[in-house]
């Protein structure tokens, strides 16, 4: 081989020994669940029935629903490279087999959520491959920027994501309850079932690994969780509170229509209360491990 080729080859860590002994039965249980409960967006949701159920909705409502589910699809799509980076990290750090398996399951599940979301959008007013506003085009690529997580240990970085899964679960529950068309409700139920397993993984991480984190990393974990929520996920996906004035008005109107007609959305007026309640629960969960989560003035006051 040419010497210059060797210089250009990425030097990955030695992969040996490759250990396959199971170390964490509670995490392996989640892997078995993922296998047994696997679903397929094309097979398990009746898309023809969904179109029939929504055929008589006003065009403005179908367009609002399509925008909402397109937004959901963009976010689910953005979660897959995050999972891929964590999987690569798990492999090269020789994390236990069941940890790598769970992260692989996470990637598959986020891809399913992405497919279900863009199919729902398509069945309503047509999937939108690009945001309507320049603002969203600018901010959405930042949602899953994990350069800060890469400065943390593997479990510290994973913990930032699992805390968000817990927050997402509360919002997803509200969206499931909002959904009236049977096939949108079914999709929400299947997505929520996967998310429940992600949340359980986070609880196992807390129980098994949080005490091993340094005090510095615990502070970083709380700061990163807050930074992500303030800097990106409050900006249009989890809540519309931080959007620019004109975009907030337009997005809130579209989300309100999608919620009022039961298309699996959260009402803008209810989003902040759900997030604040979820934050309260998360703080209680991490408090025994000494992980401080700073206040978020935008939604909790000064």
């Amino acid at each position: 081989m040419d010497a210059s080729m060797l210089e250009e080859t990425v030097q990955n860590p030695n992969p040996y020994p490759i250990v396959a002994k199971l170390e964490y039965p509670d995490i392996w249980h989640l892997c078995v669940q993922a296998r047994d409960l696997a679903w397929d967006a094309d097979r398990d949701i009746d898309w023809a029935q969904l179109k029939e159920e929504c055929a008589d909705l006003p065009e403005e409502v179908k367009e609002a629903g399509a925008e909402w589910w397109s937004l959901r699809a963009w976010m689910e799509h953005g979660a897959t490279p995050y999972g891929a980076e964590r999987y690569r990290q798990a492999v090269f750090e020789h994390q236990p087999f069941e940890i790598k398996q769970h992260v692989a399951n996470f990637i598959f599940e986020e891809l399913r959520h992405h497919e279900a979301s863009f199919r729902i959008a398509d069945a309503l007013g047509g999937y939108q491959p690009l945001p309507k506003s320049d603002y969203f085009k600018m901010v959405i690529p930042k949602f899953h920027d994990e350069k800060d997580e890469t400065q943390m240990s593997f479990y510290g970085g994973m913990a930032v994501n699992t805390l968000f899964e817990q927050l997402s679960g509360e919002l997803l529950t509200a969206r499931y309850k909002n959904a009236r068309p049977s096939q949108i409700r079914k999709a929400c139920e299947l997505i929520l079932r996967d998310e429940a397993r992600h949340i359980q993984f986070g609880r196992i991480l807390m129980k098994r690994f949080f005490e091993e984190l340094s005090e510095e990393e615990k502070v970083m974990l709380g700061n990163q969780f807050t930074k992500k929520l303030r800097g990106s996920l409050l900006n249009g996906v989890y809540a519309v509170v931080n959007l620019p004035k004109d975009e907030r008005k337009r997005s809130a109107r579209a989300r309100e229509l999608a919620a009022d007609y039961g298309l699996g959305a959260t009402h803008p007026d209810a989003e902040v209360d759900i997030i604040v309640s979820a934050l309260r629960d998360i703080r209680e969960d991490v408090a025994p491990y000494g992980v401080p989560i700073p206040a978020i003035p935008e939604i909790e006051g000064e």
Side-chain angles (χ1 to χ4, degrees):
M1 183 180 290
D2 189 281
S4 62
M5 287 291 292
L6 289 173
E7 291 172 1
E8 293 174 6
T9 302
V10 175
Q11 298 302 308
N12 288 324
N14 183 348
Y16 301 102
I18 299 173
V19 180
K21 179 182 177 182
L22 298 180
E23 296 186 30
Y24 306 117
D26 41 7
I27 296 175
W28 179 242
H29 175 67
L30 298 179
C31 298
V32 173
Q33 278 188 327
R35 180 187 300 160
D36 292 343
L37 298 175
W39 55 279
D40 180 273
D42 184 45
R43 180 194 66 213
D44 293 322
I45 299 170
D46 189 331
W47 300 105
Q49 182 178 340
L50 175 57
K51 287 185 177 181
E52 289 179 11
E53 291 176 331
C54 298
D56 295 331
L57 292 175
E59 286 303 313
E60 182 185 20
V61 173
K62 286 194 280 189
E63 193 171 315
E67 179 177 335
W68 167 249
W69 281 98
S70 295
L71 179 63
R72 293 283 303 123
W74 305 332
M75 290 303 299
E76 299 289 4
H77 180 265
T80 54
Y82 174 89
E85 286 298 320
R86 298 288 76 74
Y87 181 75
R88 182 181 186 279
Q89 187 180 6
V91 169
F92 289 133
E93 290 185 7
H94 300 287
Q95 295 294 341
F97 172 79
E98 58 270 39
I99 298 291
K100 290 179 283 192
Q101 180 67 63
H102 175 81
V103 178
N105 292 338
F106 171 85
I107 298 169
F108 297 149
E109 286 157 0
E110 299 298 347
L111 283 168
R112 286 203 300 264
H113 304 172
H114 169 63
E115 180 183 354
S117 297
F118 79 67
R119 283 178 177 271
I120 292 173
D122 212 41
L124 292 170
Y127 171 68
Q128 300 169 15
L130 285 172
K132 289 185 175 181
S133 71
D134 290 339
Y135 168 79
F136 272 113
K137 291 176 186 176
M138 176 188 70
V139 76
I140 282 181
K142 300 178 181 179
F143 283 177
H144 291 284
D145 177 0
E146 71 242 22
K147 63 177 179 291
D148 293 315
E149 280 95 324
T150 58
Q151 300 173 25
M152 305 173 71
S153 68
F154 175 79
Y155 291 109
M158 283 293 294
V160 175
N161 183 69
T162 56
L163 292 182
F164 271 105
E165 296 288 348
Q166 186 170 341
L167 191 64
S168 297
E170 296 300 326
L171 287 161
L172 282 167
T173 299
R175 292 163 187 164
Y176 165 68
K177 292 178 179 178
N178 172 264
R180 290 200 290 269
S182 66
Q183 298 308 296
I184 291 182
R185 187 174 180 84
K186 186 173 185 180
C188 288
E189 180 183 12
L190 292 170
I191 293 170
L192 190 58
R193 191 174 72 185
D194 288 346
E195 298 293 356
R197 196 162 47 254
H198 300 174
I199 293 167
Q200 184 60 21
F201 181 71
R203 295 187 182 281
I204 293 171
L205 287 189
M206 281 192 276
K207 180 178 67 176
R208 287 191 174 273
F209 303 109
F210 271 28
E211 290 182 357
E212 298 177 8
L213 299 178
S214 68
E215 293 304 313
E216 180 182 5
E217 192 159 30
K218 289 177 182 179
V219 171
M220 187 184 298
L221 169 55
N223 287 339
Q224 287 308 118
F225 173 76
T226 303
K227 179 182 176 182
K228 267 197 166 184
L229 185 56
R230 293 184 68 186
S232 58
L233 294 180
L234 284 178
N235 292 342
V237 177
Y238 276 23
V240 299
V241 290
N242 284 348
L243 291 175
K245 184 177 179 180
D246 291 344
E247 182 56 32
R248 181 170 67 243
K249 183 177 180 180
R250 191 199 67 77
S251 290
R253 171 60 179 162
R255 197 166 300 185
E256 184 177 17
L257 281 173
D260 287 347
Y261 280 80
L263 298 182
T266 38
H267 199 284
D269 294 340
E271 289 171 332
V272 169
D273 287 343
I274 295 170
I275 293 172
V276 170
S277 176
L279 275 173
R280 188 182 308 117
D281 292 341
I282 290 170
R283 284 198 179 98
E284 290 179 2
D285 287 343
V286 300
Y289 305 98
V291 177
I293 296 181
I296 301 177
E298 292 90 338
I299 57 176
E300 296 182 293
E302 298 296 334

